[in-house]
Structures are given as C-alpha cells and as structure tokens.
C-alpha cells in the first residue's frame, strides 16, 4: 500500500510553523515539527492547531510535534530552520557563532536518522550552514540545497513588478551568488514575459531596485525586529514540492559547486533543476562581465565565512 511522504521540519519557530501550514495545506505529505526539548510542547501545540485547521480547510495531512529525532526516521524531506534569526543591526554572517553548533547538532542527528532525505537548509548564514550540513552528513551533493535564491529572486521580482506597473505573474528574474549583501541580481536574464526589463525601467531605477533586493531581508528585520517567514517558507516549499512531485523546476538555489561557474567545494546560489533525484542539474548561463565580477565578489564573501566554519572545532 502506498504511504504518504514524510516531511520533517527542524525548528518549529516562525518559518517552521509556516512551512508546516503550507506542506499540510498542499497535502505534500505528513508533517513532523521538531524542536529542542524545552520547546517540545510548543511544537506539539502548533502541530495540534494545524491538525484542527485541517478540519476547516479540508486536508488529510497529519501534523505532529516532537523533540525526539527517532520520530523523524526515514523522512523523505528535511527542511532546516533551526537557529537564531537576525535582530536589527545584525548581518547574516553575525549568526555563525550561534548557529554553527546548532547546524552541527542537526546534521549529526540527520546523519543517524534520515541520511537519505532531500535536505533544504534555511538557517543563516545560509551558504556556510548548508556547506557544513553536507560535510557532516556526507550526503551526495544532489541531496542537499540551500534556500536563498528563490526568496531573493521573489523579492527582486516584486520590486520590478511594482516599478514597471505589471503583474507579478509576468516578471522573470533571478538572483544568484551568496545570500548576503553581495548577492547577484542578474539583470541580463530579467524580462517581463520575455520582453527585456530595460524596455520598462530606466537604468538608474534598476540600480536602486538591485540595492533594495540585496537588503531585502534586512528591511524586514528592521521593521519587525526579527527575520521574515512567509516568503522564506513558501520558497522552501517550492523546492520541496519540486522534489516530491518530480517537477524538474528551474530554481535559483544554493548548490554544491564542483567546478561549475569556476568554483569548487563551495555552495552558492546558481540556477538548478530540482526533480525526483534532488538537484538534478546545475544550469550554467552566460553572464555579462559585470555579473561575473559580482559573482566573484559574492563567492569570496561566502568563502570567508566557510573558512571560519572550517577553522571552528566541532
Ligand atoms: N534543533 C532544532 N531546533 C532548534 C535547535 C536545534 N539544535 N536550536 C534552536 N532550534 C529552534 C528554536 O528553538 C526555534 O524554535 O529553531 C527555531 C527557530 O525559530 P525562530 O526563532 O522563530 O526563527 P525563524 O524566524 O524561524 O528563523 C530560523 O532561518 O532565516 C533563517 O536567519 C534565520 O537562522 C534563522 C532561521
């Protein structure tokens, strides 16, 4: 008999709760919300609220809370938000000290209980945390990706749509590179339903949209006092759905590079195809010289954080 897919969400906080809501409502599988022991009841309470919600909205997914990794055994998908979010004035890189021990704890348990899961890392600093996750678990590069590009691209697309005065549905744009202030919004690949964006928006305005995109997460942290959660959760669910339903979607994700774009042993945001085998392909697009230079700067920023991670004893 066919069984439902098992989706394990590590961290039952703001993003974790929204992830659970989306996964259950889309009936992607049965959902486990995991959090540390002091927050077990919080995870269980959130899960129960979402189960009761199923009666109103009419979905059959089960949602359960736990602080016991054994409950996550054999999960098909693992989405990791465990960690401390940013506060106003902090950069994502400022979170290494707090979040590195957490991602190591998560990865050690994932290695034991669900090493075959397709893992999507959201915890920041994203590119370094996903690197460390893969290193500890030792999973194939196809089975792990970081969620940043889908979110950064969504922010870019929104600002472009509003400025151009067109529907968000018709804007196509991608943000590559690391999930930090040096990220690379790719203007050369940006269109409104195949019409070049420069037909709609002047160059200087485009530049200010790029700047706003780069600081898109910080803008929300300054307003709310903590980091965003609706769009980050939707972005990760788009990746999980692509895997679970073998959609072969082309999405910007932090993927493990082994020579692609000229980088090795590094996770940064690139266009990938996600299907039933995970990250099935890294798509190498032609970038302008300016974009290549921006990617180099962004990759150097990521490498600097990864170097700190590598030097930090377990
Ligand atoms: N294992 C599992 N969960 C953990 C662990 C751990 N070792 N350590 C902390 N957590 C849990 C916390 O108890 C908390 O419930 O992670 C949860 C994080 O939830 P929030 O504080 O609400 O943070 P959130 O907004 O969801 O962001 C989480 O995603 O975008 C990134 O920068 C953000 O790194 C942060 C992460």
């Amino acid at each position: 008999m066919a069984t439902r897919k098992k989706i394990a969400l590590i961290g039952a906080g703001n993003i974790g709760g929204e992830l659970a809501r989306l996964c259950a409502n889309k009936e992607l599988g049965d959902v486990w919300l995991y959090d540390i022991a002091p927050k077990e009841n919080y995870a269980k309470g959130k899960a129960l609220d979402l189960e009761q919600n199923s009666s109103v909205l009419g979905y059959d997914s089960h949602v359960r809370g736990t602080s016991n990794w054994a409950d996550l055994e054999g999960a098909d998908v693992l989405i990791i938000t465990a960690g401390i979010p940013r506060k106003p004035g902090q950069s994502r890189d400022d979170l290494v000290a707090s979040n590195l021990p957490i991602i190591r704890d998560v990865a050690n348990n994932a290695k034991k209980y669900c090493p075959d899961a397709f893992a999507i890392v959201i915890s920041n600093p994203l590119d370094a945390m996903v690197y460390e996750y893969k290193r500890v678990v030792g999973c194939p590069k196809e089975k792990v990706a970081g969620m940043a590009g889908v979110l950064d691209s969504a922010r870019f697309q929104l600002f472009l749509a509003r400025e151009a005065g067109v529907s968000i549905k018709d804007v196509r744009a991608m943000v590559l590179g690391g999930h930090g202030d040096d990220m690379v919004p790719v203007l050369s690949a940006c269109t409104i339903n195949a019409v070049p964006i420069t037909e709609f928006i002047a160059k200087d305005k485009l530049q200010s949209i790029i700047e706003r995109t780069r600081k898109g997460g910080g803008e929300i942290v300054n307003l709310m006092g903590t980091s965003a959660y609706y769009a980050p959760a939707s972005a990760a669910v788009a990746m999980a759905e692509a895997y679970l339903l073998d959609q072969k979607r082309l999405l910007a994700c932090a993927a493990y590079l082994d020579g692609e774009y000229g980088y090795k042993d590094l996770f940064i945001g690139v266009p990938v195809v996600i299907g039933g085998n995970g990250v099935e392909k890294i798509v190498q697009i032609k970038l302008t010289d300016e974009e290549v230079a921006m990617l180099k700067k962004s990759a150097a920023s990521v490498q600097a954080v990864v170097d700190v991670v590598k030097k930090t004893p377990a």
Side-chain angles (χ1 to χ4, degrees):
M1 198 179 74
T3 51
R4 296 204 193 111
K5 296 293 183 188
K6 183 167 176 177
I7 300 168
L9 307 175
I10 313 302
N14 284 337
I15 305 179
E18 180 62 7
L19 284 169
R21 194 185 70 80
L22 288 167
C23 290
N25 207 6
K26 283 171 170 279
E27 297 191 310
L28 293 181
D30 285 340
V31 177
W32 281 94
L33 256 178
Y34 172 93
D35 213 302
I36 48 177
K39 294 195 73 176
E40 181 173 27
N41 279 342
Y42 182 75
K44 285 187 163 162
K46 224 176 225 196
L48 185 56
D49 188 8
L50 285 165
E51 289 236 298
Q52 292 167 0
N53 203 22
S54 72
S55 165
V56 185
L57 295 181
Y59 51 80
D60 281 313
S61 298
H62 292 202
V63 187
R64 278 162 286 195
T66 185
S67 65
N68 181 2
W69 267 93
D71 286 330
L72 313 182
E73 188 143 26
D76 298 286
V77 169
L78 199 60
I79 310 183
I80 300 156
T81 63
I84 312 289
R86 279 198 282 174
K87 296 190 180 58
Q90 280 190 311
S91 78
R92 294 184 182 90
D93 294 349
D94 292 335
L95 299 175
V96 178
S98 57
N99 289 354
L100 180 57
I102 293 176
I103 199 78
R104 283 180 174 162
D105 168 51
V106 170
N108 277 312
N109 280 298
K111 183 176 181 169
K112 184 165 174 202
Y113 292 102
C114 41
D116 299 327
F118 179 56
I120 301 170
V121 178
I122 305 184
S123 310
N124 277 311
L126 188 273
D127 307 274
M129 293 301 102
V130 65
Y131 180 92
E132 188 63 1
Y133 177 89
K134 179 183 180 297
R135 190 191 67 74
V136 174
V137 176
C139 57
K141 61 185 180 182
E142 293 78 17
K143 290 309 259 314
V144 53
M147 188 296 294
V150 179
L151 171 64
D152 295 327
S153 303
R155 289 174 172 157
F156 191 31
Q157 288 173 164
L158 171 75
F159 302 146
L160 292 168
R162 292 293 188 263
E163 181 62 27
V166 301
S167 166
I168 188 74
K169 296 189 189 84
D170 294 323
V171 181
R172 297 277 180 277
M174 247 192 312
V175 176
L176 306 182
H179 189 43
D181 293 348
D182 299 321
M183 65 179 74
V184 185
V186 183
L187 268 187
S188 63
C190 181
T191 74
I192 295 182
N193 205 0
V195 180
I197 194 72
T198 44
E199 302 278 329
F200 292 83
I201 304 177
K203 278 238 162 76
D204 58 333
K205 193 67 210 174
L206 283 171
Q207 202 46 50
S208 67
I209 289 173
I210 286 178
E211 285 316 311
R212 188 174 178 197
T213 302
R214 287 187 168 137
K215 304 208 160 68
E219 185 177 349
I220 293 178
V221 173
N222 287 335
L223 289 166
M224 292 205 301
T226 189
S227 51
Y229 44 96
Y230 293 117
S234 301
V237 169
M239 294 165 65
E241 198 171 13
Y243 172 73
L244 289 166
L245 306 184
D246 190 26
Q247 289 173 331
K248 317 282 187 206
R249 287 203 64 190
L250 190 148
L251 300 167
C253 302
Y256 184 80
L257 300 186
D258 190 19
E260 297 89 350
Y261 289 91
Y263 300 99
K264 245 182 180 312
D265 194 32
L266 196 68
F267 275 85
I268 51 170
V270 289
V272 304
V273 173
I274 298 187
N277 295 312
V279 177
E280 296 187 350
K281 191 173 175 183
I282 292 175
V283 181
Q284 299 205 60
I285 58 170
K286 196 163 164 42
L287 300 171
T288 65
D289 290 348
E290 201 187 343
E291 287 158 356
V292 169
M294 285 194 285
L295 191 63
K296 192 171 173 192
K297 187 173 175 216
S298 181
S301 301
V302 172
Q303 187 66 63
V305 184
V306 170
D307 288 344
V308 171
V309 166
K310 282 182 176 168
K311 281 191 204 131
T312 309

